[in-house]
Amino acid sequence: MIVLRLKPIADIRSMVERHARVLVVGCNTCAAVSLAGGETEVETLVETLRLGASRSACQTEYTGAMIQRQCEPEFVDKLEAGGYDAVLSLGCGAGVAFLANTESVPVYPALDTLFIGAAKGHASWQAECSACGSCVLGETAGICPTTRCAKGIMNGPCGGVKDGRCELGDRDCAWVQIYDRLDEQGRGDDFDGLGSTKDNSVNSMTCEWDMNADSGGSK
Ligand code: SF4
Ligand code: SF4
């Protein structure tokens, strides 16, 4: 699932305070599950922004709303944003972008989109994928170097590894983990062949995918 985090309130206020009427829109799918953009979070953010506005004599009015998914027209079409001067989205970057494409007023992100992750525990997720469009997990024992290596390199470990830990941030070295898991699976010899397996010409940042197209796949 896409994991999201609320931006600092001061940053949100500075984006939207110039507008008189702001519609705060949650997304009832990934954003709700990651406890960043569900109904409760929309209500809390609206109340927080109203309180901040009243304390600073700001005239901005905030109203909350929910839609099921901000990235699909069948749901976005039901959003009643008329009468508002701006939309504040509690969706992922795709949701914000889709709303910005469909609404005539400015759309602002209230959340930062962190990664595609898997649950570790309650309200805790592990980054597993960055949607690069050319998956190598089959070769890397299910550990993504693009996502889990601090430098995103494909031929680690680099010289910054020490005792299995990465020189950058509080994390284990992804490439040591890849080697260890391949070894555990009896595939340790495959490690030497890694490093040239990733097709970086395919990048989800620049491609779109039409499942209905004859050829299918990326274009
Ligand atoms: S290699 Fe690409 S598609 Fe595969 S998990 Fe990593 S970022 Fe995601
Ligand atoms: S120490 Fe490992 S995880 Fe950190 S940047 Fe180097 S290869 Fe990547």
Side-chain angles (χ1 to χ4, degrees):
M1 123 180 130
I2 298 172
V3 179
L4 308 126
R5 179 176 60 195
L6 186 69
K7 285 179 177 289
I9 294 296
D11 293 356
I12 294 172
R13 287 186 59 192
S14 72
M15 283 190 288
V16 299
E17 264 184 353
R18 75 181 76 173
H19 301 290
R21 293 174 300 278
V22 176
L23 185 62
V24 182
V25 183
C27 185
N28 209 20
T29 310
C30 294
V33 176
S34 69
L35 305 177
E39 201 163 354
T40 302
E41 291 77 30
V42 168
E43 288 173 7
T44 302
L45 181 58
V46 166
E47 287 307 313
T48 302
L49 291 169
R50 283 177 181 163
L51 187 62
S54 67
R55 285 180 176 166
S56 63
C58 173
Q59 302 297 313
T60 303
E61 295 174 8
Y62 298 96
T63 303
M66 284 297 298
I67 55 177
Q68 187 62 25
R69 280 199 281 281
Q70 293 188 10
C71 55
E72 291 191 32
E74 66 181 287
F75 301 110
V76 170
D77 287 350
K78 294 177 184 152
L79 183 66
E80 296 176 354
Y84 294 94
D85 306 306
V87 172
L88 179 61
S89 164
L90 280 85
C92 71
V96 175
F98 196 72
L99 287 181
N101 287 340
T102 55
E103 303 302 326
S104 58
V105 295
V107 179
Y108 300 97
L111 306 179
D112 286 321
T113 303
L114 302 180
F115 48 75
I116 301 172
K120 279 180 68 183
H122 178 65
S124 170
W125 293 272
Q126 166 78 57
E128 300 288 8
C129 175
S130 305
C132 76
S134 177
C135 194
V136 297
L137 289 184
E139 290 81 36
T140 59
I143 298 167
C144 174
T146 301
T147 308
R148 301 270 293 273
C149 167
K151 297 173 186 170
I153 59 175
M154 285 303 299
N155 58 348
C158 71
V161 63
K162 186 176 181 190
D163 298 329
R165 299 283 289 171
C166 175
E167 66 176 336
L168 300 174
D170 180 19
R171 66 172 80 194
D172 292 327
C173 170
W175 278 100
V176 170
Q177 292 180 311
I178 290 167
Y179 176 79
D180 287 347
R181 191 178 288 174
L182 284 172
D183 196 44
E184 285 164 17
Q185 295 174 350
R187 298 197 285 160
D189 289 347
D190 292 353
F191 189 82
D192 288 341
L194 294 176
S196 59
T197 52
K198 198 153 188 309
D199 178 6
N200 285 318
S201 68
V202 182
N203 186 326
S204 63
M205 299 292 286
T206 56
C207 77
E208 55 187 67
W209 184 49
D210 182 356
M211 194 183 275
N212 300 307
D214 287 343
S215 57
S218 302
K219 63 179 183 179

